[in-house]
Amino acid sequence: MASTTVPVPPRDPAPARSLADVADVLGTTVPDTVRDISITGVCLDSRAVRPGDLYAALPGARTHGARFARGAAELGAAAVLTDPAGAELAADSGLPLVVVPAPRELLGGLAAWLFGAPAEQMLTFGVTGTNGKTTTTFLLDGALRAGGRRCGLIGTVMTRIVDEQIDSKRTTPEAPDLAALMAQMVRRGVEVCSMEVSSHALSMGRVDGIRFDVAGFTNLSQDHLDFHPTMEDYFAAKADLFTPARAKQGVVCVDDEWGRRLARESGVPVVTFTTLGPWSSGDDFATSSSSTIDADWRVTAARPHEGGTDFVLAGPDGVTLDARCPLPGEFNVANTVLALLMLVVSGTAPGDAARWLAAAPAVPGRMEQVGLTGSGRPLAVVDYAHTPDAVATALRALRPSASGRNGPLVVVIGAGGDRDRDKRPKMGAEAARHADVVVVTDDNPRSEVPARIRASVLEGARSVNGATAEVLEVADRREAIATGVRMAGPNGIVLVAGKGHERGQEVAGVVHPFDDREVLVGLLGRPGGTQPVPVSQGRNR
Ligand SMILES: CC(=O)N[C@H]1[C@@H](OP(=O)(O)OP(=O)(O)OC[C@H]2O[C@@H](n3ccc(=O)[nH]c3=O)[C@H](O)[C@@H]2O)O[C@H](CO)[C@@H](O)[C@@H]1O[C@H](C)C(=O)N[C@@H](C)C(=O)N[C@H](CCC(=O)O)C(=O)O
Ligand SMILES: Nc1ncnc2c1ncn2[C@@H]1O[C@H](COP(=O)(O)OP(=O)(O)OP(=O)(O)O)[C@@H](O)[C@H]1O
Ligand SMILES: N[C@H](CCC[C@H](N)C(=O)O)C(=O)O
């Protein structure tokens, strides 16, 4: 089906409610003089207010939204919801104020109420974890489409309502936008919504007011330690999705210790699975029975092939299922099993789920082969690896292909500014451990000094004992990619990591158009269409 793209999320007005009713839902009251004011929406960004909105003026890390109440009034806001500090700041806006101690905590419930609890009118899948959320939601969405369902998708790469594509501002939208989006989905007959649930979203109440039919957990490894003080806090944020207020049931990958802990501590019933075992690449299925991890389902055999992996999944009561991961990279088997079991626990027959998943399309910017290869050109792959674990995972997945081609494995890598500083040297170190050549460059420096970020990545790359990788610094990303292509040579592989589907490079508050894939196409030429990368996968953990 052809897709259309619109620049901003669609938002229909909500059914009109009186300000008195709104205040009542928030557990407070408003003066009689303003009780009949009509509210037809809620918005927490003064710049996006529409006539009739309740402007939620929230305190933040950088500023207080109440400072922008006058701007909201100019755009037609009908009233302001804020806290006592905001009430003072918003006093000159001329708008009626609804004042509560912690407005962010009430926003999700309010938005859900205003829009008629849209999440309850669809089947909802929520996926969390450090890596794999986008991939798993795309797999769910692709499978359900293959099964003929009308679908909605919300995540980092895009938001989609049936066949309409909308750019995503972030991984998980703020609660008012989410409720409005879901109301649109319901209006357009969406039966199933698959969405990513970031730890920021869970911590900041963006999914309050939604109780997912099935929650899924991929894995946990270091990221976002700028926002979460510790890994423990990061885990707690993710684990919160597995509580009765947020989900009815869950599926948990127990390949890592965090997943095993989540399975033990989950507040909702969960089905667990592991993909670990001595199965490995090769022409024949290698079987495994020795994994000691306790899990309801396990991958017992696997056979990688061009563009994916066929595998056998064994479940309770001796059930076995032949399934296919339609994406390259062994790590995608875990994402596929997660999607498969989320479908199964929601009532899809296992055989149907496996068949539909095998037909799911590739995910933009995830292990995506770009540009022409052969005739003196290397194999170029764009991947969104932007954590130490993902960098290692992506490079491990490509190593067998590099060996097969008898060429070097080159990675072009940077780390984002205004994000977890501690992950930078670790990303550099993983790059040096798993690649032959590391080209360190910029990746959205944002407000930081780019050279300092690069220095941190370089420091990690150069500190690995015994690593033989050649480490280069090329500040300009376009030039760095060209260097990576050159260094890979005709037999090598160049992995351009970190930006995946992104179409901009954010420097000092300005987003400059930039797409790794376009740069590679410029260097290597455009094939008939992008295909999944033909990695011959070995064990890559
Ligand atoms: C840490 C974080 O997530 N912060 C988000 C949070 O910021 P904040 O509460 O500190 O707000 P602030 O910037 O101080 O502003 C205060 C209030 O004034 C409002 N405001 C501000 C300026 C203005 O002109 N008008 C206006 O109304 C803002 O909307 C906000 O409500 O609320 C803001 C309003 O929605 C978000 O823009 C901001 O996201 C920032 C930009 C961000 O980069 N978030 C990223 C890290 C994020 O959320 N990422 C996760 C994915 C992570 C993953 O990879 O797993 C995501 O779900 O996207
Ligand atoms: N199950 C997995 N285990 C380890 N690494 C993975 C897994 N799935 C994906 N990755 C790696 O992580 C990168 C990001 O994958 P994906 O976009 O699916 O994750 P995400 O959780 O949505 O990330 P983000 O929250 O930053 O959007 C991929 O490009 C790949 O390198
Ligand atoms: N969702 C992640 C994406 C990071 C991607 C990378 N390109 C960067 O800018 O750090 C974040 O916002 O931290």
Side-chain angles (χ1 to χ4, degrees), residues 406-492:
N406 217 3
L409 178 55
V410 179
V411 62
V412 178
I413 188 173
D418 301 338
R419 296 285 187 273
D420 189 346
R421 288 167 186 241
D422 188 52
K423 76 175 177 179
R424 296 169 188 169
K426 294 179 182 168
M427 289 169 69
E430 292 300 349
R433 252 179 222 121
H434 297 286
D436 302 308
V437 180
V438 182
V439 184
V440 176
T441 188
D442 292 342
D443 177 348
N444 295 329
R446 302 193 175 87
S447 74
E448 291 194 52
V449 177
R452 290 217 192 113
I453 304 175
R454 291 197 304 275
S456 181
V457 178
L458 283 162
E459 188 243 308
R462 290 181 174 139
S463 69
V464 181
N465 278 338
T468 53
E470 185 177 348
V471 180
L472 309 171
E473 178 181 11
V474 182
D476 179 75
R477 193 170 177 95
R478 188 179 300 274
E479 187 49 39
I481 294 172
T483 305
V485 165
R486 222 169 29 246
M487 299 292 288
N491 299 328

Side-chain angles (χ1 to χ4, degrees), residues 45-47 49-50 55 68-78 80 95:
D45 185 336
S46 61
R47 295 154 292 194
V49 160
R50 297 197 192 161
Y55 171 53
F68 309 98
R70 279 170 73 167
E74 280 161 23
L75 290 179
V80 176
L95 293 173

Side-chain angles (χ1 to χ4, degrees), residues 23 26-30 80-88 96-103 106:
L26 295 167
T28 186
T29 54
V30 287
V80 176
L81 166 66
T82 192
D83 62 3
E88 281 183 34
L97 304 181
V98 183
V99 184
V100 296
L106 302 177

Side-chain angles (χ1 to χ4, degrees), residues 194-523:
S194 309
M195 69 173 283
E196 298 183 47
V197 185
S198 67
S199 63
H200 295 76
L202 288 157
S203 302
M204 301 182 83
R206 296 183 196 159
V207 290
D208 288 0
I210 298 176
R211 188 162 177 247
F212 290 97
D213 288 295
V214 189
F217 175 84
T218 57
N219 50 58
L220 196 80
S221 64
Q222 182 174 340
D223 202 3
H224 305 308
L225 294 188
D226 52 326
F227 181 74
H228 299 287
T230 57
M231 282 299 288
E232 191 62 29
D233 182 78
Y234 183 29
F235 171 75
K238 299 275 188 203
D240 199 37
L241 183 58
F242 295 77
T243 52
R246 298 203 185 278
K248 295 177 187 161
Q249 56 187 330
V251 178
V252 176
C253 177
V254 293
D255 283 353
D256 71 28
E257 183 47 42
W258 295 107
R260 297 195 275 279
R261 180 169 159 198
L262 177 59
R264 287 194 301 275
E265 296 177 5
S266 170
V268 297
V270 293
V271 167
T272 57
F273 73 92
T274 178
T275 67
L276 299 180
W279 54 276
S280 58
S281 62
D283 290 331
D284 297 311
F285 277 52
T287 53
S288 146
S289 57
S290 63
S291 173
T292 51
I293 294 171
D294 186 27
D296 300 316
W297 294 79
R298 62 183 66 240
V299 173
T300 54
R303 182 172 55 197
H305 55 81
E306 194 159 295
T309 304
D310 290 340
F311 62 93
V312 178
L313 189 63
D317 305 322
V319 174
T320 59
L321 196 60
D322 290 318
R324 167 168 286 197
C325 162
L327 307 173
E330 183 193 310
F331 59 89
N332 276 317
V333 172
N335 297 331
T336 306
V337 177
L338 179 58
L340 195 155
L341 293 177
M342 289 178 80
L343 291 169
V344 168
V345 302
S346 75
T348 303
D352 285 346
R355 213 176 52 254
W356 298 346
L357 274 163
V363 188
R366 273 60 180 172
M367 297 300 271
E368 182 178 343
Q369 183 188 330
V370 182
L372 289 169
T373 191
S375 307
R377 300 177 183 92
L379 175 69
V381 177
V382 166
D383 186 66
Y384 200 46
H386 57 78
T387 66
D389 187 53
V391 170
T393 302
L395 284 168
R396 282 198 204 108
L398 291 168
R399 175 54 75 186
S401 287
S403 304
R405 295 169 66 102
N406 217 3
L409 178 55
V410 179
V411 62
V412 178
I413 188 173
D418 301 338
R419 296 285 187 273
D420 189 346
R421 288 167 186 241
D422 188 52
K423 76 175 177 179
R424 296 169 188 169
K426 294 179 182 168
M427 289 169 69
E430 292 300 349
R433 252 179 222 121
H434 297 286
D436 302 308
V437 180
V438 182
V439 184
V440 176
T441 188
D442 292 342
D443 177 348
N444 295 329
R446 302 193 175 87
S447 74
E448 291 194 52
V449 177
R452 290 217 192 113
I453 304 175
R454 291 197 304 275
S456 181
V457 178
L458 283 162
E459 188 243 308
R462 290 181 174 139
S463 69
V464 181
N465 278 338
T468 53
E470 185 177 348
V471 180
L472 309 171
E473 178 181 11
V474 182
D476 179 75
R477 193 170 177 95
R478 188 179 300 274
E479 187 49 39
I481 294 172
T483 305
V485 165
R486 222 169 29 246
M487 299 292 288
N491 299 328
I493 297 182
V494 55
L495 170 70
V496 181
K499 292 182 78 67
H501 63 285
E502 290 179 2
R503 283 170 295 176
Q505 176 85 312
E506 188 178 337
V507 187
V510 180
V511 180
H512 303 270
F514 194 96
D515 187 327
D516 288 348
R517 295 164 300 181
E518 288 304 318
V519 174
L520 282 167
V521 162
L523 291 164

